[in-house]
């Protein structure tokens, strides 16, 4: 997986975290669980409002349904 943590924007005790991530490209599989993010451990999911960028400045936002939206 080529997704890296940029920043933790907010934590929700035991439920999840709102994150800012960097992916190598739009083809990377984006994580939905905290444990899938390199450098993080624990239970919970990546919460709505989390953002993932690429070096080409593509952007993707985690929706309320727990799924990453389309790249813009």
């Amino acid at each position: 997986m080529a997704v890296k943590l940029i920043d933790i924007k907010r934590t929700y005790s035991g439920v999840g975290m709102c994150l800012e991530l960097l992916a190598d490209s739009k083809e990377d599989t984006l994580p939905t669980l905290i444990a899938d993010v390199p450098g993080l451990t624990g239970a919970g999911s990546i919460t709505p409002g989390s953002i993932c960028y690429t070096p080409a400045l593509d952007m993707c936002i985690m929706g309320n349904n727990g799924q990453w939206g389309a790249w813009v």
Side-chain angles (χ1 to χ4, degrees):
M1 182 181 295
V3 176
K4 297 169 187 69
L5 178 66
I6 295 174
D7 192 18
I8 298 172
K9 294 297 184 184
R10 186 169 190 171
T11 59
Y12 300 92
S13 54
V15 179
M17 292 182 183
C18 186
L19 304 175
E20 190 173 3
L21 303 170
L22 177 67
D24 287 339
S25 72
K26 295 190 301 184
E27 287 74 36
D28 289 337
T29 301
L30 300 181
T32 56
L33 301 174
I34 293 170
D36 294 336
V37 178
L40 294 180
T41 59
S45 59
I46 297 173
T47 60
S50 294
I51 300 173
C52 187
Y53 305 102
T54 68
L57 298 180
D58 300 301
M59 181 183 76
C60 188
I61 300 173
M62 175 65 80
N64 289 334
N65 60 357
Q67 306 254 337
W68 288 99
W71 287 99
V72 291

